Amino acid sequence: MRCRTAVPAALLVTLTACTTGPSLENRGEVTAPPGDSRQLTIGSAGFTESDLLAQMYAQLLNQAGYRTSLITVANREIYEPALESGQIDAVPEYAATFADWLNAKANGPDAPPVGSPDLATTMKALRRLATPRGLTVLDPGRAVDQNAFAVTAAYARQHHLRTLSDLGASGLKVRLAAGDECVQRPYCEPGLKKVYGIDITGVDPKGVGTTQAKRAVQSGQDQMVLTTTTDATLDQFGLVLLADDKHLQNADYVVPVVNRARAGSDRVTKSLGELNDVLTTADLAAMNQQVDSWRRLAQDVARTYLRDKGLVK
């Protein structure tokens, strides 16, 4: 790892504005050959999991002979144009979320979503949207960070719950701790009612997977919390996930996205693909825990994982 830089948003916008990105006049066409710059900048979205993935990308590329630096830009509205322009060369993304974001950017905020629970369908839509922007979406691995729902282990035992279908069939009334947008999002309250028949009596707007939300469920104030599949702190609150057995959630598999003109080579693809071959959702959750709960540095956690898997020396 050569360096890590937090880039002020205003500076990144200025630099991006001075760089010419790929033309969108001929959507779907790739006019530039894949590039292989020796110096690559890896972007992180600034939260623990993104930091870990960016660190692993950089260390794998270092091993392959590249010089890398890391920057953190938490706002996708800023880092995605920088990725198009080549100011950032690679970022970890999430398939369905990024597909819907690019779709809204291309077709307006009211465009029907293109992300879906089906990974192949989602990847096809994502690549169709990314390619004319000069971006290459590499293959997804096994790791997925989806929205997920948790209840207390005691509640699950008492009512014999393992899946969201079990909860719907139980007829239990459920107050849900989540973000306030949950009342409108199809994967949240409307989907839980429509797909699973869960009797949601109200949404307690305490945020997605926040400590406050988890404590509300732990105390019995609420019965279920919206969190993610890689949440590393559920055990601390005595919570367990209920399986999304009818696949309400979209296919938010981890995918590397690269600037084709600078990092579209087979060597970059092979290096980052080695991580996707081994990385699982459980691995990500365990690494998140080491950073968030054990206060280890993301760089050290990433290096230990890659060494344990035999990917770096």
Side-chain angles (χ1 to χ4, degrees):
M1 198 74 42
R2 301 301 176 188
C3 65
R4 177 183 178 84
T5 307
V7 176
L11 177 59
L12 192 55
V13 169
T14 300
L15 294 175
T16 302
C18 296
T19 312
T20 301
S23 171
L24 299 184
E25 291 177 0
N26 299 313
R27 288 188 174 274
E29 295 185 10
V30 178
T31 56
D36 193 23
S37 175
R38 302 298 296 169
Q39 277 191 273
L40 299 174
T41 300
I42 315 301
S44 166
F47 57 94
T48 296
E49 187 168 293
S50 189
D51 286 346
L52 283 162
L53 289 164
Q55 290 282 356
M56 288 189 283
Y57 289 5
Q59 292 178 33
L60 286 166
L61 291 169
N62 285 343
Q63 173 97 353
Y66 295 92
R67 291 174 57 87
T68 64
S69 59
L70 276 79
I71 61 173
T72 298
V73 187
N75 189 323
R76 188 180 274 115
E77 284 78 4
I78 295 173
Y79 76 67
E80 189 278 331
L83 182 64
E84 288 188 30
S85 72
Q87 192 179 353
I88 295 174
D89 300 306
V91 296
E93 264 293 356
Y94 300 91
T97 295
F98 196 45
D100 283 339
W101 192 89
L102 287 179
N103 186 45
K105 182 176 181 178
N107 300 309
D110 296 326
V114 295
S116 79
D118 182 76
L119 179 59
T121 300
T122 297
M123 288 297 297
K124 182 178 180 180
L126 174 55
R127 284 173 166 151
R128 174 175 52 80
L129 290 159
T131 297
R133 296 185 177 277
L135 306 180
T136 297
V137 182
L138 305 187
D139 289 340
R142 292 181 285 166
V144 57
D145 189 351
Q146 294 169 304
N147 293 296
F149 297 91
V151 298
T152 65
Y155 185 84
R157 284 193 302 271
Q158 179 184 357
H159 299 290
H160 309 289
L161 306 177
R162 289 183 162 220
T163 68
L164 290 170
S165 287
D166 292 339
L167 182 56
S170 73
L172 292 165
K173 295 186 182 299
V174 175
R175 182 172 161 88
L176 177 63
D180 54 9
E181 72 279 3
C182 178
V183 297
Q184 300 177 19
R185 297 285 173 87
Y187 65 79
C188 204
E189 181 183 358
L192 291 172
K193 289 179 174 179
K194 180 178 179 180
V195 175
Y196 288 107
I198 297 173
D199 187 359
I200 304 292
T201 60
V203 172
D204 188 2
K206 286 185 164 59
V208 179
T210 63
T211 296
Q212 185 184 22
K214 291 172 190 171
R215 283 179 177 161
V217 176
Q218 184 183 38
S219 69
Q221 176 184 343
D222 299 329
Q223 287 70 51
M224 188 162 68
V225 60
L226 171 62
T227 182
T228 66
T229 52
T230 59
D231 190 324
T233 64
L234 293 177
D235 287 348
Q236 298 174 26
F237 297 90
L239 303 177
V240 294
L241 294 179
L242 296 181
D244 179 21
D245 54 308
K246 292 184 179 178
H247 306 292
L248 171 63
Q249 303 305 321
N250 282 344
D252 259 332
Y253 284 74
V254 175
V255 289
V257 182
V258 302
N259 177 286
R260 176 182 170 86
R262 289 183 48 81
S265 69
D266 289 342
R267 182 162 48 161
V268 169
T269 299
K270 181 176 183 296
S271 297
L272 299 184
E274 290 176 349
L275 177 62
N276 277 349
D277 288 343
V278 300
L279 185 67
T280 67
T281 304
D283 292 341
L284 267 182
M287 285 189 280
N288 286 340
Q289 183 178 39
Q290 291 179 55
V291 175
D292 290 337
S293 300
W294 304 356
R295 302 303 180 193
R296 293 190 61 197
L297 295 175
Q299 180 175 353
D300 296 337
V301 173
R303 183 183 298 112
T304 298
Y305 179 80
L306 294 177
R307 284 178 175 171
D308 287 347
K309 295 298 182 180
L311 298 182
V312 300
K313 298 178 181 178

